[in-house]
Amino acid sequence: MTFGEQPAYLRVASDLREKIANGSLPPHTRLPSQARIREEYGVSDTVALEARKVLMAEGLVEGRSGSGTYVRERPVPRRIARSGYRPPNGANPFRQEQAADGARGTWESSSEQEPANAVVAARLGIQPGERVMRTRYVYRDGGEPMMLSTSWEPLSVTGRTPVMLPEEGPLGGCGVVERMAAIDVVVDNVVEEVGARPGLAEELLALGGVPGHVVMVVERTYYASGRAVETADVVVPADRYRIAYHLPVR
């Protein structure tokens, strides 16, 4: 096989990737051994090994201890609907952020006060070290972990009020807009920035992912008259979900 200018290991990986995509190597099939790749493509052991590493980093194959490397079953991506900061028809925040169709959502949360680090402080427009309420969520659909979220609210806004704890009290779980309104803070804007990065080890452990998998991260901040009143990182596994925005035309 002639490999041209592209590195040989990438060309081998590309050919194997195509076989996975077209079904020649279906899910749960054992990937050709290093020796087989070397013989079939006329490459060195180093090239064969690097090609396998590429496919593993892409999440297309997985190693099974004492058995070999196998093609992973690729999930059909589901949609997570985003519809702005106003929950439609009084829906709670999870209903707003979970998969739109056939959702069977539950979540777990824990809140704790902490000093804001430099990144959180910059997003909230406060000084590093100022106290914030940090709340961590694990969202599940049908028992399957689908999304993580960590939110921070400045205690200069919510401290010593009935909504200081997002998931407790008479408005627990109602969402930022309604909770803030209860203390006469009117949320009038929200900014979401969407990016992607390799998942952190603890994120992938919680989401049931494989090391090296990519996650989408939504950095969301709610504002009231230009003042940030909550900021959050929403983490979604990119191989299982797509984020769909439904925005009104004004």
Side-chain angles (χ1 to χ4, degrees):
M1 178 178 291
T2 301
F3 291 100
E5 298 299 322
Q6 192 178 38
Y9 76 95
L10 291 180
R11 295 298 297 270
V12 173
S14 178
D15 191 68
L16 291 171
R17 188 187 301 113
E18 176 61 26
K19 290 180 178 178
I20 293 172
N22 66 25
S24 298
L25 288 172
H28 310 296
T29 299
R30 186 173 181 176
L31 196 70
S33 67
Q34 190 167 311
R36 176 74 178 274
I37 292 174
R38 181 188 65 210
E39 178 181 346
E40 181 176 345
Y41 293 93
V43 296
S44 66
D45 280 333
T46 300
V47 168
L49 178 60
E50 290 302 312
R52 289 159 63 92
K53 286 182 178 179
V54 168
L55 298 178
M56 189 166 292
E58 292 175 351
L60 296 174
V61 301
E62 60 184 355
R64 298 180 186 175
S65 180
S67 180
T69 304
Y70 291 79
V71 177
R72 292 185 65 240
E73 185 168 1
R74 302 290 289 174
V76 177
R78 297 181 55 191
R79 297 173 64 194
I80 292 179
R82 309 286 297 172
S83 55
Y85 66 87
R86 297 187 184 277
N89 301 321
N92 64 38
F94 185 31
R95 179 66 65 182
Q96 188 182 6
E97 293 178 337
Q98 66 183 319
D101 299 322
R104 296 159 293 159
T106 59
W107 70 90
E108 306 155 11
S109 67
S110 62
S111 295
E112 184 177 352
Q113 294 187 36
E114 67 179 17
N117 62 32
V119 173
V120 171
R123 287 166 56 174
L124 289 173
I126 61 177
Q127 292 298 314
E130 286 192 35
R131 305 294 291 179
V132 295
M133 183 66 70
R134 183 202 67 212
T135 304
R136 290 187 171 132
Y137 297 86
V138 179
Y139 297 97
R140 303 179 188 276
D141 180 28
E144 176 187 352
M146 59 169 291
M147 183 168 62
L148 307 175
S149 178
T150 304
S151 72
W152 297 268
E153 296 179 352
L155 288 173
S156 58
V157 175
T158 62
R160 299 182 182 275
T161 73
V163 300
M164 185 173 72
L165 291 168
E167 296 296 323
E168 296 183 22
L171 292 176
C174 287
V176 175
V177 177
E178 187 174 349
R179 289 175 48 249
M180 293 297 166
I183 56 173
D184 298 322
V185 175
V186 179
V187 173
D188 54 18
N189 193 21
V190 59
V191 174
E192 293 195 351
E193 297 184 9
V194 183
R197 59 168 170 75
L200 303 179
E202 57 268 27
E203 292 170 340
L204 295 174
L205 180 64
L207 291 168
V210 174
H213 273 193
V214 172
V215 295
M216 293 177 286
V217 182
V218 181
E219 293 185 7
R220 180 196 67 206
T221 304
Y222 287 105
Y223 294 90
S225 300
R227 180 184 187 182
V229 297
E230 190 256 19
T231 193
D233 287 339
V234 181
V235 178
V236 180
D239 63 329
R240 285 185 275 153
Y241 293 93
R242 297 289 182 267
I243 297 176
Y245 282 83
H246 301 271
L247 305 176
V249 177
R250 296 177 184 269

